[in-house]
Amino acid sequence: MNAAGSDDARRRVEDLVCGLPGADRPFEAPWELRAFALAVAAHDSGHYAWSEFQLSLIASIRRWEKEPDGEPWSYYTHWLAALESLLAGQGTLSEASLAERTRTVLATPRDTDHHQARRDPVAVSPPRSA
């Protein structure tokens, strides 16, 4: 993706984030941001129309509303359920592949690679003179 395409994608994601409930702090945990990013990336890759995702999200929330003693409210739990339901319904995501990937992720130590935020500045060494 070129710089212009990257800037356009960033603007579209920022517009989506600004429209979310609690836009001043839309993500409470890193997994919520990842779920958001996965849904946007799958849409951008042409896996589904955004309206299909919205309908799946509405269906997930409605199922939750019908269970008065169910799980506590979590917008991104429904977001993720909607994404999984949509991709599974299309055959893009199977129970077997999801179970295998889940086992792999759970077996990976928590602080491996990207699972921990890095807040240290990146240092770049200046080029050496010849």
Side-chain angles (χ1 to χ4, degrees), residues 20-34 36 73-77 110 119:
L20 293 172
D24 55 329
R25 184 171 175 178
F27 306 109
E28 294 293 325
W31 74 266
E32 295 175 343
L33 176 58
R34 288 187 203 107
F36 177 84
W73 171 256
S74 168
Y75 183 74
Y76 285 100
T77 296
R110 180 177 171 91
R119 302 206 189 290

Side-chain angles (χ1 to χ4, degrees), residues 12 38-50 52 86-87 90 92:
R12 286 185 292 119
L38 283 170
V40 172
H43 167 262
D44 286 349
S45 297
H47 289 282
Y48 50 79
W50 195 251
E52 291 177 284
L86 186 58
L87 293 177
Q90 295 176 341
T92 305

Side-chain angles (χ1 to χ4, degrees), residues 6-22:
S6 178
D7 289 344
D8 182 52
R10 179 177 294 216
R11 274 191 295 279
R12 286 185 292 119
V13 169
E14 286 173 355
D15 289 345
L16 282 170
V17 170
C18 289
L20 293 172

